[in-house]
Amino acid sequence: MQVWTVANQKGGVGKTTTSVALAGLAAEQGQRVLLIDLDPQGSMTSYFGGDPDNTPVSVFTLFQDKAIICLESIVQLLIPTRFERMTLLPASTALATLERHGVGKGGLGLVICRTIEQVQDEFDLVVIDSPPVLGVLLINALAACDRLIIPVQTEYLALKGLDRMIHTLRMLSQSQQRLLEYVIVPTMFDQRTHASVGSLSSIRHKYGTQTWPSKIPVDTRLRDASKAGIPPHLFDSNSHSINSYRSLYQWLDKSQRKTEKVYFWTARQSLSGLGGM
Ligand SMILES: Nc1ncnc2c1ncn2[C@@H]1O[C@H](COP(=O)(O)OP(=O)(O)OP(=O)(O)O)[C@@H](O)[C@H]1O
Ligand SMILES: [Mg+2]
């Protein structure tokens, strides 16, 4: 099982849209996908018709005192969506109260890690949508993932927000002594505007090797898909944006398999060094 977190401390850059689009494309490929909504605004929960202001069960339950994180208790919180192979662990607005506990309070940072461990046989891919705020929820989303996807809106202030996010990652990598692989995904690109063209070239100039070589275009069909509550690939399978998300998904999937191969090869090497293979 793989865990992908979609995050950026800047708001409105396309995190929720990217999460739903990639999750939908993975489900289309036959993967069993769990979508975890870690944003107190609950945009992903609303996308699938839930009401984050008024949901009796949500991921919040797992963060409460004395919560027992086991398969049986997690299964009670999962909601099958009306789309094949897509299951949602919804958010509730109560999640906002967690942020008052601050970052790193005893044990709270690993709640999602422990949750995912319990469901690893039930799903092939977990996609986590996160809030645009550095706090205990974003820390959970980062601690749990194998791969981090950072959508960046191609506009004037993009680099500032991106620098802040990368700074956070460096701090966390040092404190957790773990290197997190990340990929920057330029979003809402509009080739007719100087702001889009200029900021895309600044992002590539500064973060070239960590940036996906293509971009997601601005496309009102994504807004329409969200309004209709339908994953973008099912809403309009031939729109410009879904074609771009499709090539992003294939690129992520391919580079993921490459990484696995390298790990496997390295493991073989070290075993043969020990006379094991
Ligand atoms: N490529 C795109 N073209 C046009 N509109 C888009 C595109 N991507 C996302 N949007 C729209 O922009 C708005 C913000 O997108 P989204 O909710 O995905 O951002 P977000 O980063 O999750 O926001 P927040 O930080 O508030 O959670 C939504 O109305 C969405 O439909
Ligand atoms: Mg969002």
Side-chain angles (χ1 to χ4, degrees), residues 15-16 39 41 43 129-130:
K15 293 182 289 295
T16 303
D39 185 355
Q41 299 175 96
S43 308
D129 185 21
S130 46

Side-chain angles (χ1 to χ4, degrees), residues 140-201:
N140 265 271
L142 296 176
C145 70
D146 304 302
R147 164 165 259 169
L148 171 62
I149 296 156
I150 308 178
V152 177
Q153 185 178 354
T154 46
E155 44 91 57
Y156 281 126
L157 293 176
L159 265 183
K160 239 186 169 154
L162 181 56
D163 288 345
R164 202 176 322 130
M165 185 71 214
I166 302 297
H167 176 69
T168 300
L169 284 181
R170 292 207 176 114
M171 273 179 9
L172 285 175
S173 297
Q174 273 168 12
S175 70
Q176 297 180 350
Q177 301 201 329
R178 155 178 194 249
L179 266 182
L180 193 55
E181 224 193 292
Y182 67 89
V183 55
I184 295 164
V185 174
T187 60
M188 304 186 205
F189 180 74
D190 184 349
Q191 61 186 4
R192 296 164 304 180
T193 68
H194 287 300
S196 254
V197 174
S199 61
L200 180 63
S201 102

Side-chain angles (χ1 to χ4, degrees), residues 2-277:
Q2 275 281 309
V3 184
W4 294 356
T5 282
V6 181
N8 190 335
Q9 281 161 262
K10 195 165 178 339
V13 296
K15 293 182 289 295
T16 303
T17 306
T18 301
S19 303
V20 178
L22 292 176
L25 290 166
E28 185 186 52
Q29 293 300 308
Q31 303 225 24
R32 299 164 302 163
V33 185
L34 173 63
L35 297 110
I36 303 183
D37 190 355
L38 277 191
D39 185 355
Q41 299 175 96
S43 308
M44 191 157 78
T45 302
S46 307
Y47 198 122
F48 289 100
D51 178 5
D53 285 316
N54 202 0
T55 175
V57 291
S58 82
V59 67
F60 179 66
T61 310
L62 300 169
F63 286 91
Q64 283 174 311
D65 279 349
K66 303 193 186 90
I68 297 167
I69 300 181
C70 61
L71 185 58
E72 289 74 30
S73 60
I74 297 164
V75 165
Q76 314 280 324
L77 308 176
L78 301 181
I79 298 182
T81 68
R82 59 197 173 97
F83 308 101
E84 230 179 338
R85 293 183 289 276
M86 296 178 84
T87 303
L88 176 70
L89 177 47
S92 65
T93 41
L95 279 173
T97 60
L98 279 178
E99 294 301 347
R100 287 192 216 127
H101 292 294
V103 177
K105 190 192 170 230
L108 274 192
L110 293 176
V111 168
I112 296 301
C113 257
R114 285 160 50 211
T115 302
I116 290 172
E117 244 169 56
Q118 295 292 321
V119 296
Q120 59 181 321
D121 293 334
E122 322 300 318
F123 299 100
D124 304 306
L125 177 69
V126 178
V127 178
I128 305 176
D129 185 21
S130 46
V133 183
L134 177 58
V136 74
L137 293 163
L138 183 53
I139 299 287
N140 265 271
L142 296 176
C145 70
D146 304 302
R147 164 165 259 169
L148 171 62
I149 296 156
I150 308 178
V152 177
Q153 185 178 354
T154 46
E155 44 91 57
Y156 281 126
L157 293 176
L159 265 183
K160 239 186 169 154
L162 181 56
D163 288 345
R164 202 176 322 130
M165 185 71 214
I166 302 297
H167 176 69
T168 300
L169 284 181
R170 292 207 176 114
M171 273 179 9
L172 285 175
S173 297
Q174 273 168 12
S175 70
Q176 297 180 350
Q177 301 201 329
R178 155 178 194 249
L179 266 182
L180 193 55
E181 224 193 292
Y182 67 89
V183 55
I184 295 164
V185 174
T187 60
M188 304 186 205
F189 180 74
D190 184 349
Q191 61 186 4
R192 296 164 304 180
T193 68
H194 287 300
S196 254
V197 174
S199 61
L200 180 63
S201 102
S202 311
I203 293 166
R204 293 221 172 109
H205 181 70
K206 191 155 182 194
Y207 295 104
T209 52
Q210 289 100 342
T211 306
W212 174 49
S214 189
K215 63 250 170 198
I216 305 295
V218 72
D219 183 358
T220 52
R221 299 300 278 162
L222 289 171
R223 216 164 267 158
D224 298 341
S226 147
K227 209 168 155 202
I230 298 174
H233 76 287
L234 292 174
F235 185 76
D236 184 349
S237 69
N238 269 321
S239 65
H240 292 312
S241 55
I242 198 60
N243 283 332
S244 297
Y245 272 119
R246 202 166 260 127
S247 64
L248 172 63
Y249 175 76
Q250 283 160 358
W251 186 84
L252 289 168
D253 188 46
K254 208 158 98 191
S255 56
Q256 171 187 306
R257 274 188 249 147
K258 217 192 274 168
T259 321
E260 277 168 4
K261 241 192 221 155
V262 173
Y263 284 147
F264 179 63
W265 186 81
T266 319
R268 273 178 77 110
Q269 288 292 304
S270 52
L271 278 174
S272 60
L274 294 169
M277 269 179 104

